[in-house]
Amino acid sequence: MGVRERERVGRHRRGFLRYGAALGAAFVGSHADPLYAQRPENSSPTLADSTKKLGAPVGPYGERARFETAVRRQAKTPTNESSWTFTPLEDSRGIITPSALHFERHHGGIPILDPAKHKLMIHGLVERPLVLTVGEIHRLPAVSRIYFIECSGNTLTEWEKPTESGVQGTHGLTSCSEWTGVPLSLLLIEAGVQNGGTWIVAEGADAAVMTRSIPLEKAMDDILLAYGQNGEALRPEQGYPLRLVIPGWEGSAQVKWVRRLKVVDKPYMTREETSKYTDLMPDGTARRFTFVMEAKSVITTPSGDQRLPSVGFYEIRGLAWSGRGAVRRVEVSTDGGRNWSDARLEEPVLRHAHTRFCHPWRWDGRETILQSRCTDESGYVQPTREELVKQRGLHSYYHNNAIQSWKVSASGSVRNVHA
Amino acid sequence: MHSVLVVALAIIYISPVSGQSPTYGVGREPSPQEIRVWDIAIGPDGKELPEGGSTAAIGRNVYAAKCAACHGKGGKEGPYDVLVGGFQSLTSARPVKTVGSYWPYATTLWDYINRAMPFQAPGSLSSQEVYGITAYILYLNGIVQESETISAQTLARVRMPNRDGFVADPRPDTNGLGKAGRAKPAKR
């Protein structure tokens, strides 16, 4: 009953069958899956062939097991260069997103930047304008921090009616990495911000020359100028060789391929903070500089497109995060929101990072609805969709952090619904 | 010893923001010329705009040649982003956010075309061309006259229809309570 054999079973059931391994022999002994014992490899004592011949030799750069198939999925967008891909959250383990599966959002494709040639300029309202090479930035005191990055467009298809079938499509524009870099405050102090400097304009070296205005206060607080991701250099699609990481704020402000930081006395009202990434309200006004990603959670298993193979025990698992700091509490409802119980928060529980939650559940075979609700350290509670729509109408597009509902049918199939 | 202290105090005194004298001495200082070449961001007061100016009448041909294939002859036909029209639509069931109906600053249009358009050849336009196309898109939206010169001096003064349409972020705007209402209300 090794994990290896189980990897051969269909994709939809895969997530759940793996739970057997974690639950220990007692539970697996009473395995509820009727197909399990019928498989020849589970009734015969034959040892695996892999012990009878040498395995593959050592290699320079690892690849995942050939049986693992989780991939990013691209959204339907008019072009492939201004487009986005979703992280397969249903297959994610723990809180770190593999760099190769981190969601993407680019406005002009992924540039190829040679770190030997790339430079960062810091200028504007500073005492001493600076041009730094990537090598010089590597020499400065560095920190590593685990932070989520969520696109403010995450869940944008779900305002009016359930649209995406699975959690990859509904919530896959969030990912979490360990980022390594230099606190931006260090470089701003190095350049010497002048009185009157209140914002920075950050500019990327991609074909969109992506540009955002960011309050200086946040830059002096906790913004990172990152060059490392999960123990190695940033991936090209994550901004190689330099990007901003802005804890808890919307992804689009975290300018990738960053080449220039100008200290200024007001926001510059770039296209990406006026035409886009502003939230239109029912009265026709639009909110701008809606940076904070408010508390949000989602159950990743069981989630849409999956199927519960039988009645019995399941561990409900999911992710929670908040742009206002740490997740304090996640509650789970297995009856469509009538009753809520506290989920267990898996360590580590870090500020501005994905937090894994788990909740034991015994499915009785009846139709029901699964939901999760997150509370963060500020006391903010993840709202229902009705509450959000009441405040913001149906056209604000960004920042949908509503409670997600997954409906389990009597057949065990799970789908996205509005409850 | 005493003189060292005096010098140290003097440095602290003359540095404009205390504690902001360089610590690591990394990097080099760019020349003013280098900064000028890099500094393409145009703020809402337009002070970084390069010298020059043009009209919609002149910009019309450049737009037809370099933009119309993707944004339509009149800026409305697509296939990509609609640039013209959508007035009065923001409160409707189908808001159409365009340069004319939504964008609060004309400087943003100049800045964005200059840095990112045409999509497949960004950074390929001369600043005169950008002035002309900017004027033309504003003209198509009924914001400027066809013969009006849009220049480094006049662009920031163009009043966009939705200039006052933007508000600060008031969140948290939900009451902080979920359906069951068990948790404490949100605080700022």
Side-chain angles (χ1 to χ4, degrees):
Chain A
M1 46 117 207
V3 169
R4 254 193 321 264
E5 286 89 334
R6 297 194 181 167
E7 252 137 21
R8 298 205 192 107
V9 306
R11 180 176 155 77
H12 291 322
R13 342 176 51 144
R14 205 181 54 200
F16 288 112
L17 291 170
R18 278 202 198 119
Y19 281 73
L23 281 170
F27 206 90
V28 176
S30 63
H31 207 289
D33 182 358
L35 294 176
Y36 182 77
Q38 288 167 23
R39 280 188 219 109
E41 68 268 33
N42 293 334
S43 53
S44 108
T46 313
L47 290 173
D49 288 348
S50 60
T51 63
K52 303 248 168 65
K53 61 172 195 255
L54 286 175
V58 296
Y61 195 86
E63 279 178 31
R64 64 179 170 177
R66 70 175 68 155
F67 309 102
E68 294 300 314
T69 53
V71 287
R72 293 190 291 227
R73 186 165 61 74
Q74 189 184 342
K76 289 187 189 71
T77 47
T79 69
N80 289 328
E81 294 82 11
S82 177
S83 189
W84 55 94
T85 57
F86 300 94
T87 293
L89 292 180
E90 67 278 21
D91 290 296
S92 72
R93 309 276 177 252
I95 61 171
I96 299 291
T97 310
S99 303
L101 295 176
H102 193 293
F103 85 85
E104 300 168 277
R105 173 58 172 126
H106 323 306
H107 286 264
I110 305 162
I112 297 169
L113 297 177
D114 179 349
K117 296 190 185 128
H118 186 75
K119 289 180 182 62
L120 174 73
M121 181 185 282
I122 302 177
H123 71 114
L125 295 173
V126 296
E127 284 307 300
R128 200 168 72 105
L130 287 173
V131 172
L132 297 136
T133 64
V134 175
E136 283 167 334
I137 291 165
H138 287 177
R139 278 165 50 199
L140 291 167
V143 297
S144 294
R145 300 274 187 271
I146 296 176
Y147 293 132
F148 77 81
I149 296 180
E150 183 183 15
C151 177
S152 54
N154 201 15
T155 319
L156 74 84
T157 53
E158 307 303 310
W159 283 104
E160 276 184 64
K161 54 181 189 339
T163 301
E164 291 282 343
S165 60
V167 71
Q168 179 166 20
T170 58
H171 289 75
L173 296 182
T174 186
S175 300
C176 185
S177 295
E178 185 196 57
W179 305 100
T180 299
V182 179
L184 195 53
S185 59
L186 184 154
L187 284 167
L188 290 170
I189 290 170
E190 192 73 7
V193 175
Q194 291 175 340
N195 289 331
T198 49
W199 290 71
I200 56 174
V201 173
E203 180 181 272
D206 58 328
V209 204
M210 182 75 183
T211 306
R212 288 294 307 259
S213 309
I214 300 157
L216 183 75
E217 198 184 345
K218 181 72 171 171
M220 296 307 287
D221 181 15
D222 59 4
I223 297 180
L224 273 188
L225 176 66
Y227 47 78
Q229 180 186 8
N230 297 328
E232 61 183 351
L234 293 171
R235 291 288 164 122
E237 66 270 32
Q238 292 309 323
Y240 183 84
L242 289 177
R243 75 168 299 165
L244 297 185
V245 174
I246 311 183
W249 283 19
E250 62 186 6
S252 83
Q254 309 190 29
V255 174
K256 299 184 284 190
W257 313 292
V258 62
R259 72 172 183 192
R260 191 162 72 91
L261 299 169
K262 182 179 185 183
V263 178
V264 294
D265 61 357
K266 61 173 106 40
Y268 263 36
M269 305 301 177
T270 69
R271 183 245 184 179
E272 312 298 347
E273 59 208 21
T274 53
S275 170
K276 306 294 171 190
Y277 304 106
T278 47
D279 309 38
L280 182 63
M281 295 295 122
D283 69 357
T285 64
R287 297 172 177 178
R288 64 185 177 196
F289 302 117
T290 43
F291 290 122
V292 171
M293 299 308 296
E294 297 191 290
K296 188 164 175 178
S297 70
V298 67
I299 294 171
T300 52
T301 50
S303 60
D305 287 341
Q306 295 179 339
R307 173 178 291 278
L308 308 185
S310 65
V311 298
F313 179 81
Y314 295 93
E315 185 175 62
I316 293 172
R317 324 200 82 209
L319 291 168
W321 61 96
S322 170
R324 292 204 182 88
V327 170
R328 276 285 168 267
R329 175 188 201 185
V330 177
E331 296 156 285
V332 167
S333 172
T334 57
D335 59 7
R338 273 190 297 283
N339 296 289
W340 295 87
S341 30
D342 280 306
R344 178 172 64 83
L345 300 187
E346 178 79 18
E347 294 289 330
V349 178
L350 301 170
R351 303 191 81 234
H352 304 133
H354 280 177
T355 299
R356 178 64 68 176
F357 67 86
C358 313
H359 187 65
W361 177 52
R362 200 167 283 279
W363 183 45
D364 60 10
R366 275 190 297 221
E367 183 176 291
T368 192
I369 287 174
L370 307 178
Q371 297 173 322
S372 67
R373 177 173 73 190
C374 159
T375 305
D376 69 18
E377 66 177 72
S378 77
Y380 174 92
V381 183
Q382 183 180 5
T384 60
R385 194 184 62 91
E386 291 73 26
E387 281 182 279
L388 284 175
V389 172
K390 201 171 119 202
Q391 293 299 325
R392 306 182 193 168
L394 287 169
H395 304 296
S396 64
Y397 196 80
Y398 305 101
H399 298 288
N400 181 354
N401 65 327
I403 290 170
Q404 169 69 36
S405 303
W406 302 118
K407 183 167 197 163
V408 180
S409 74
S411 72
S413 64
V414 185
R415 69 193 167 85
N416 178 15
V417 295
H418 279 173
Chain B
M1 218 56 230
H2 188 246
S3 61
V4 173
L5 187 64
V6 170
V7 171
L9 284 174
I11 289 169
I12 289 167
Y13 181 71
I14 58 169
S15 70
V17 180
S18 64
Q20 292 203 340
S21 51
T23 307
Y24 302 98
V26 291
R28 65 173 171 81
E29 190 161 341
S31 68
Q33 158 67 9
E34 206 176 352
I35 294 176
R36 249 196 319 279
V37 172
W38 281 56
D39 190 10
I40 60 167
I42 311 298
D45 55 17
K47 66 173 190 278
E48 298 89 350
L49 282 166
E51 273 313 306
S54 188
T55 64
I58 298 168
R60 176 195 301 273
N61 289 337
V62 194
Y63 178 89
K66 299 192 171 178
C67 320
C70 290
H71 294 289
K73 248 181 102 163
K76 288 181 170 178
E77 305 88 340
Y80 299 129
D81 302 36
V82 175
L83 308 178
V84 174
F87 296 101
Q88 315 303 327
S89 76
L90 298 183
T91 52
S92 76
R94 289 188 61 86
V96 181
K97 294 187 262 182
T98 73
V99 172
S101 69
Y102 197 61
W103 291 35
Y105 296 94
T107 45
T108 310
L109 184 59
W110 200 100
D111 174 276
Y112 182 70
I113 296 170
N114 183 55
R115 69 176 62 235
M117 287 293 137
F119 192 64
Q120 80 295 354
S124 61
L125 302 173
S126 71
S127 54
Q128 275 304 97
E129 287 176 313
V130 179
Y131 278 115
I133 301 168
T134 299
Y136 186 61
I137 294 172
L138 293 173
Y139 163 71
L140 288 175
N141 277 294
I143 297 167
V144 303
Q145 304 296 314
E146 194 172 7
S147 58
E148 202 173 324
T149 298
I150 294 302
S151 69
Q153 287 71 41
T154 64
L155 181 64
R157 293 207 297 268
V158 172
R159 175 96 193 161
M160 299 296 276
N162 197 37
R163 169 64 184 274
D164 296 328
F166 291 81
V167 296
D169 181 3
R171 297 173 306 155
D173 57 346
T174 49
N175 65 8
L177 297 169
K179 248 183 191 162
R182 281 203 283 135
K184 278 185 297 174
K187 55 175 190 281
R188 253 234 122 115

